[in-house]
Amino acid sequence: MFSKEVRVTNQVGLYAKAATTFVQKANEFKSTIWVEKEERRVNAKSLLGILSMGLTKDSVMTVLAEGKDEQEAVMALVELAGDDSAD
């Protein structure tokens, strides 16, 4: 399993178009991918799951993946979501 923390930098967070783009990118990978915020974890390949997280600008989340392309998947989604220098 590979994971990385990221701060969402999109002005409106991961809603509507940004969430759709994020989910489409996640679905390009074979690995199982999750997004975690505080104690909540959802499937990164689920639009409803991502929207239900309430990921606003400056939210800190962790992207986790397990599978053959886990590292590539996490790095691509972190780059898409924002700043991977989250504290």
Side-chain angles (χ1 to χ4, degrees):
M1 182 174 292
F2 184 76
S3 67
K4 194 155 182 67
E5 197 170 72
V6 59
R7 181 178 310 278
V8 177
T9 57
N10 185 312
Q11 194 64 30
V12 294
L14 282 183
Y15 290 110
K17 187 174 181 182
T20 301
T21 302
F22 186 89
V23 169
Q24 287 172 339
K25 178 58 82 175
N27 277 294
E28 292 177 11
F29 298 97
K30 294 190 185 314
S31 294
T32 303
I33 310 167
W34 301 275
V35 170
E36 196 172 73
K37 179 183 169 195
E38 296 162 3
E39 299 295 315
R40 188 141 183 258
R41 182 184 282 192
V42 299
N43 182 344
K45 297 179 180 184
S46 164
L47 182 58
L48 286 176
I50 296 299
L51 292 173
S52 74
M53 294 292 283
L55 295 163
T56 58
K57 184 178 188 315
D58 292 326
S59 292
V60 176
M61 66 179 185
T62 304
V63 180
L64 309 95
E66 187 168 18
K68 291 176 74 173
D69 54 2
E70 61 189 28
Q71 197 163 355
E72 183 184 354
V74 169
M75 297 311 290
L77 292 172
V78 163
E79 183 178 326
L80 193 62
D83 183 4
D84 67 352
S85 62
D87 296 327

